[in-house]
Amino acid sequence: MLIEMTAEPELAWQEQALCAQTGADFFFPEPGSSVREAKYICRMCEMRPACLEYALANDERFGVWGGLSEKERYALRHQSGR
């Protein structure tokens, strides 16, 4: 029996994330643009903890990940010593 895997197991959360059903423009806005819409979508997403953990572990520096902006993730990394 052949089982088709669409993503690496550690990235499977991405297929279920609400951002996968939304345009990337919300999550990677132009510099100085609002991230309010992206954060609103993130608050409703069950995959938010996995998304944030991924972003912190992979040092994602751009966009909204796990409901946090670039600056918020930077502050969280330095606060927790990552």
Side-chain angles (χ1 to χ4, degrees):
M1 182 164 102
L2 178 64
I3 298 174
E4 185 176 324
M5 298 293 287
T6 57
E8 298 286 327
E10 63 272 8
L11 299 178
W13 60 268
Q14 290 181 345
E15 294 177 356
Q16 298 174 14
L18 291 177
C19 60
Q21 304 162 27
T22 311
D25 294 344
F26 287 115
F27 300 94
F28 296 95
E30 293 293 321
S33 297
S34 175
V35 295
R36 185 178 324 148
E37 293 88 1
K39 287 183 170 189
Y40 177 76
I41 293 168
C42 288
R43 279 195 301 269
M44 296 184 295
C45 184
E46 293 179 15
M47 299 298 116
R48 193 172 108 196
C51 180
L52 180 57
E53 183 60 34
Y54 173 85
L56 294 173
N58 292 282
D59 198 24
E60 290 289 347
R61 296 185 183 210
F62 301 101
V64 175
W65 290 81
L68 299 182
S69 68
E70 300 146 6
K71 290 179 183 179
E72 292 166 328
R73 288 193 313 279
Y74 177 83
L76 184 61
R77 271 194 304 273
H78 288 344
Q79 181 181 22
S80 65
R82 284 188 178 199

